[in-house]
Amino acid sequence: MRGAGRETVTASTSDVQPATVLVVDDNETNRYVLATWLRRAGHTVVGVGTGEEGLAYLRGSEPAPDIAIVDVRLPDMSGFDVSERIKQDTATGHLPVIQISAAAISPEDHIEGLSRGADAYLDQPLDPGELVATVTATLRYARARQRAERLARRLITLNQVTLQVYSATEFPSFASRVTSGAAEVLSGPASAVFLSPLAEAVQATVDGPRGVVGLHPVRPALLEELSALSGLGQAAGVRLLRVPAERWRSLSPAHDPRGEVALALSRTKRGRPPVAVVVPVTAVPSADDERLLQQLANTGALALEALRTYSEEHALGLALQRSFLPKELPSVPGVDLAVRYQPASEHAEIGGDFYEAVETADGLLLAIGDVVGHSVTAATVMGEVRHALRAYAIEGHPPQRILEALERLLGQSQPGITVTLCLVLVDSGGRRLLVANAGHIPPVVAEPRVAPRFHEPHGPLLGLGLPQPAPTTVPLPHGGRLVMVTDGLVEVRTAPLDVTLAAFRETVAGGPEDIEELCDLLLDRFGQNKDDDIAVIAASFSRDTTVRQPR
């Protein structure tokens, strides 16, 4: 939406605007005549008498001239040298130069002047109309080139900002990247208004490129008011409008601009909260700049919608994941149990780690496993495997038969999905452990006065259609402990697994006797800043362990 009475600066208007002209000529009369003609055309003129004076002025003037007129014959150097040095300096290389001369008028002189940096070459005596027209034409070309170069730079910056915005995994970093990105692309202060995934209205502001972004709470109704003001309503799309400074201050007291602002409002889906990006009107003088502002708002709206959708799906998956875990642990004489479950960081995908503890006719069955992959599907398969495992165990199947039954289940209902699973049966007589491990991290068995050890033998992952070996028997470590974990606890991308497993075993050996404290220690030492779920089961066995049969 364009504001009433709005004028947009376009190429046709900006190219004929008055300019500041630097005249380099050692003849004072010539400088006076040239200045008079140019001032009558509306230009501002600065005159100097030598090449060094002209170059020094270009280095120190602020703002810099828009164009230079340089005489070929100067007392300290040739005008060709001046033009060449102007074009070779990155700070002045964009400056258009008109070469003039009353003596160097041969075709060879023209060729040398144009070859060494001049954009136009005029012979004296000059016609005032021709001079002004040449200045206008040269400025038109130079300004068009400068606009194109500036647009190209801004498009490159916009592309970089877009990648940064889409890579944000949390709302604060997202809001900061959109706002600082607008400041970088449009070279000035910027502000943006969002509704966070937690339904909090937030305004971000920054004073300019590379500034520090501040986040401030604002009225929840602000985005609705902007939607109504722009005419967007609840529809999807983008609107652009100008808002006077006083009006904007009344809408958003947290942002105090120095003048009128340009506001782009974008919504990706009907009825969803929009995103507003706000900059000074002076930052968007052309239609191309306006389109950049609109694109920034679109980028923010699309990325926020993706972030909001991901947050909703992650919360749903996490709730689903937690619903599949046991609500309580069985109470078994002589066996103390402790468990920990730690989901991955908020920006990581949902995993399929799970644990189970169930009393069976043959004893207490402990299980820990992981569906390979990270997604809501992994969490769903995890729930299916865990419920089936529990049902097979209650029916009285021994560990190897449970693994075989789960293998068949996966082959029929979830082909292509693989699962690691370790089962440990504490037999009802309290004399032994039966361990059946399908490709999982081996459990640690710790006995009194004996160094902890990993129970190494294991079979293949479930889901490969391969037979499982018979379980192995381990004497029950009376007065000892058993620790079972998922790979999220002990795998570190920057270190070999053997190294972290050795450190894990040493921690179990020197850890506290209380298994609740031991679990806390393991999470504190190995579970920080992990991008995978973590599950831990710890069991301690008294010297009179006897697992009762379930009723």
Side-chain angles (χ1 to χ4, degrees), residues 42-390:
H43 300 298
T44 300
V45 181
V46 176
V48 297
T50 69
E52 283 294 350
E53 288 176 344
L55 294 172
Y57 185 83
L58 289 176
R59 288 193 296 267
S61 63
E62 185 61 41
D66 299 296
I67 189 170
I69 299 176
V70 183
D71 186 22
V72 172
R73 298 293 174 86
L74 298 171
D76 56 344
M77 66 180 74
S78 75
F80 298 150
D81 293 332
V82 175
S83 298
E84 194 168 51
R85 289 174 63 176
I86 288 174
K87 296 299 184 177
Q88 289 176 346
D89 190 334
T90 56
T92 59
H94 64 281
L95 186 73
V97 177
I98 298 176
Q99 203 86 63
I100 60 172
S101 181
I105 59 175
S106 70
E108 290 75 14
D109 294 323
H110 283 225
I111 292 171
E112 182 174 4
L114 295 171
S115 299
R116 295 181 66 181
D119 296 274
Y121 200 112
L122 296 176
D123 295 335
Q124 293 175 303
L126 297 171
D127 177 81
E130 182 183 11
L131 173 67
V132 172
T134 301
V135 169
T136 300
T138 306
L139 282 171
R140 181 168 57 245
Y141 172 77
R143 285 169 171 170
R145 183 186 64 217
Q146 291 166 12
R147 281 198 313 274
E149 291 173 350
R150 186 186 69 164
L151 179 60
R153 290 193 300 270
R154 288 186 166 186
L155 286 171
I156 291 172
T157 304
L158 176 62
N159 182 57
Q160 295 169 341
V161 167
T162 300
L163 293 175
Q164 293 169 359
V165 168
Y166 276 104
S167 66
T169 56
E170 298 176 347
F171 176 74
S173 61
F174 157 81
S176 294
R177 291 177 187 182
V178 170
T179 311
S180 62
E184 291 175 15
V185 171
L186 297 172
S187 306
S191 178
V193 185
F194 317 91
L195 191 68
S196 77
L198 299 178
E200 298 169 339
V202 175
Q203 182 168 22
T205 58
V206 66
D207 291 335
R210 294 174 295 281
V212 178
V213 178
L215 301 180
H216 320 279
V218 292
R219 295 178 297 106
L222 177 57
L223 285 169
E224 295 180 6
E225 294 172 6
L226 295 178
S227 296
L229 182 65
S230 67
L232 184 62
Q234 295 299 311
V238 62
R239 296 290 186 274
L240 185 69
L241 67 154
R242 287 184 172 186
V243 182
E246 289 300 324
R247 175 62 169 145
W248 179 247
R249 290 189 194 102
S250 68
L251 289 167
S252 174
H255 184 213
D256 187 13
R258 294 185 179 89
E260 188 178 23
V261 299
L263 184 149
L265 192 75
S266 177
R267 178 186 285 113
T268 59
K269 295 181 181 179
R270 181 177 181 81
R272 298 289 270 183
V275 166
V277 180
V278 185
V279 298
V281 163
T282 53
V284 287
S286 70
D288 288 334
D289 296 314
E290 291 178 345
R291 284 190 284 270
L292 287 174
L293 179 60
Q294 290 175 304
Q295 185 59 46
L296 282 164
N298 271 329
T299 296
L302 288 167
L304 182 56
E305 190 63 31
L307 186 62
R308 183 179 288 114
T309 300
Y310 174 79
S311 298
E312 293 170 353
E313 290 180 352
H314 192 276
L316 176 62
L318 190 59
L320 176 67
Q321 193 176 36
R322 288 187 179 279
S323 71
F324 290 150
L325 298 175
K327 300 297 186 293
E328 59 182 19
L329 297 175
S331 176
V332 176
V335 181
D336 290 328
L337 295 176
V339 298
R340 294 291 187 274
Y341 184 83
Q342 179 175 293
S345 60
E346 291 184 5
H347 60 272
E349 293 184 277
I350 294 297
D353 292 27
F354 64 97
Y355 65 86
E356 183 59 270
V358 57
E359 291 183 83
T360 74
D362 296 321
L364 174 65
L365 181 69
L366 304 177
I368 193 163
D370 183 8
V371 178
V372 177
H374 296 83
S375 64
V376 174
T377 300
T380 304
V381 174
M382 175 267 282
E384 182 178 349
V385 170
R386 177 188 162 258
H387 287 307
L389 182 155
R390 186 177 182 87

Side-chain angles (χ1 to χ4, degrees), residues 367-418:
I368 193 163
D370 183 8
V371 178
V372 177
H374 296 83
S375 64
V376 174
T377 300
T380 304
V381 174
M382 175 267 282
E384 182 178 349
V385 170
R386 177 188 162 258
H387 287 307
L389 182 155
R390 186 177 182 87
Y392 296 147
I394 291 174
E395 287 180 356
H397 298 287
Q400 182 181 4
R401 297 292 177 262
I402 292 175
L403 294 181
E404 292 171 349
L406 291 174
E407 180 68 60
R408 291 192 297 271
L409 175 66
L410 287 172
Q412 292 177 1
S413 65
Q414 301 290 346
I417 299 292
T418 56

